[in-house]
Amino acid sequence: MSNRKFLYLTGYQWLWALYIAVAVYTCIFKYTRGIDNNYKIFRASYFHARQEKDLYASYPQEYGDLYYYGPVFPLVIAPSSLLPHGWGFLLWELANAIAILWAIHLLPFTVRQKNQLLLLCAIEYANSVFYMQFNPAITAMILLSFILVERGKEQWATLFIVLGFLIKLYPIIGLTFFLFSRNKGKFVLWAAIWAVVLLIAPLILYSPGYMVNSYHQWLAAVHSKVGLNAYFDSPQDICVMGVVRRLTHNINVPNGPFLIAGAFLFLLPLLRFSQYKSFKYRAQVLASALILVVIFSTGAEHPTYIIAVTGVFIWMLIQDKPYTTGNIILLVSVLVLTGLGLTDAFPKFIREPYIAKYSMKAWPVIVIWVKIVYELLFNNFVAENTKIDRQYERLKSKDWLMSIS
């Protein structure tokens, strides 16, 4: 994990090159074979918005599946949509790569820790990019909302929370970091400002009536998708509820009790106000938040897990001893079962009747989330005076937000 140079680049810079190369390769591979359906959905949303067509209707002559992102997303995809298809696709993949790279770069970690985090997340990053998903950018939005609150930049932290929520809901978990803000009034004010600005931002593309109708249609589409996700052969529902449904062979297992239990377990440690002084505690809440939004979402699918796995490895790397025997077992299970379980690395006779059938991709992540919550409830982070807390104080004094490693 050294940062010595090889062919004029440090190890950290080579990892950036790797992530970008995966994005470029995926674009070429998918585009030249005409298997870029997900990107076609995203790209078409801009043109449908401009023409004031129903964003959430079926357009089988343009692409398969349906569009489920918020009405503000056509603005986000506009720069890519306005380019020729191939170049726009490349911009989309590169933007997702750079988003997660930059967010990880800004974490108050050492170069060695960032190297390890990028390496450990590489499989799930490749899974998400291969499916042309927005999840690396969603991961970046949650990370940036935490980082910017840590830096007292609530005006920008809340931008990522509100924008992410209005695109794909998950980043709303960033509101949790309000509790760690030293400028709570500023946080609330800017959250309100961004909510107003971004809710009406689609007016740049279309009329007020169409905008209001699109928000109604979005909420209806998201609500209906929850029901559509829960069936035994679904590529979604890789979550706590999906695991229970598949293990019990009962498709009628309700989501509500699990969502309430998950919210309770996530929020309960936040009552330990005395622990807020510890950066390790706050970072572990970040890890818990990244995992929670995935393992309690019926929309969680194979490429969604870049969000959760980033949380898993942040938790691991902030430990004084990250690579204990128990942690190595958990690490290997995440890399192998979660990362590779639904890929061709596993033969079809194992992948489909076992890993896919029982949502086994989620199992290691669920176990780790329970462990994280247990530690948040019972560990005394302040008294421990951990390495990551001491490191954080050193890096903070060097203005780690703006440093280039």
Side-chain angles (χ1 to χ4, degrees), residues 34-265:
I35 49 176
D36 55 344
N37 184 70
N38 283 344
Y39 174 68
K40 288 178 180 176
I41 296 173
F42 301 145
R43 183 175 188 267
S45 69
Y46 170 77
F47 298 105
H48 292 164
R50 289 300 304 270
Q51 297 163 21
E52 299 201 351
K53 292 182 177 180
D54 184 349
L55 290 171
Y56 306 96
S58 175
Y59 296 94
Q61 294 184 343
E62 297 182 43
Y63 50 74
D65 210 342
L66 296 170
Y67 171 82
Y68 286 105
Y69 286 3
V72 75
F73 182 75
L75 280 175
V76 175
I77 196 71
S80 178
S81 298
L82 290 170
L83 290 173
H85 187 91
W87 289 109
F89 187 13
L90 179 61
L91 175 61
W92 171 254
E93 295 284 63
L94 288 175
N96 273 277
I98 291 170
I100 192 168
L101 284 168
W102 188 246
I104 288 174
H105 174 72
L106 295 180
L107 283 167
F109 288 176
T110 63
V111 175
R112 179 182 177 86
Q113 288 168 324
K114 292 174 187 176
N115 282 342
Q116 293 177 52
L117 183 57
L118 288 172
L119 278 172
L120 292 169
C121 291
I123 295 173
E124 282 300 342
Y125 162 77
N127 288 338
S128 190
V129 168
F130 189 76
Y131 283 87
M132 301 152 281
Q133 291 284 8
F134 194 52
N135 296 310
I138 293 294
T139 307
M141 289 180 179
I142 298 173
L143 291 175
L144 288 169
S145 63
F146 174 81
I147 292 163
L148 291 164
V149 165
E150 287 289 314
R151 292 292 297 170
K153 307 291 184 182
E154 284 82 0
Q155 68 272 33
W156 302 117
T158 49
L159 168 62
F160 289 111
I161 294 169
V162 176
L163 177 62
F165 171 69
L166 291 177
I167 292 173
K168 199 179 176 178
L169 303 181
Y170 289 174
I172 194 65
I173 197 70
L175 290 178
T176 304
F177 310 139
F178 165 81
L179 297 172
F180 306 148
S181 172
R182 296 180 297 277
N183 307 289
K184 291 181 170 56
K186 184 179 176 184
F187 188 107
V188 172
L189 175 62
W190 276 100
I193 291 171
W194 287 123
V196 172
V197 169
L198 293 173
L199 277 169
I200 65 174
L203 291 176
I204 296 171
L205 293 182
Y206 38 75
S207 67
Y210 176 78
M211 180 187 73
V212 172
N213 191 46
S214 292
Y215 278 113
H216 286 300
Q217 291 171 331
W218 178 42
L219 294 175
V222 170
H223 183 265
S224 67
K225 189 173 186 292
V226 172
L228 294 173
N229 291 334
Y231 61 94
F232 289 138
D233 295 327
S234 171
Q236 286 86 29
D237 209 29
I238 307 177
C239 59
V240 173
M241 299 82 75
V243 169
V244 174
R245 278 190 274 267
R246 284 162 172 156
L247 287 176
T248 61
H249 302 286
N250 180 4
I251 202 66
N252 296 314
V253 169
N255 295 320
F258 294 94
L259 296 177
I260 293 169
F264 176 77
L265 288 173

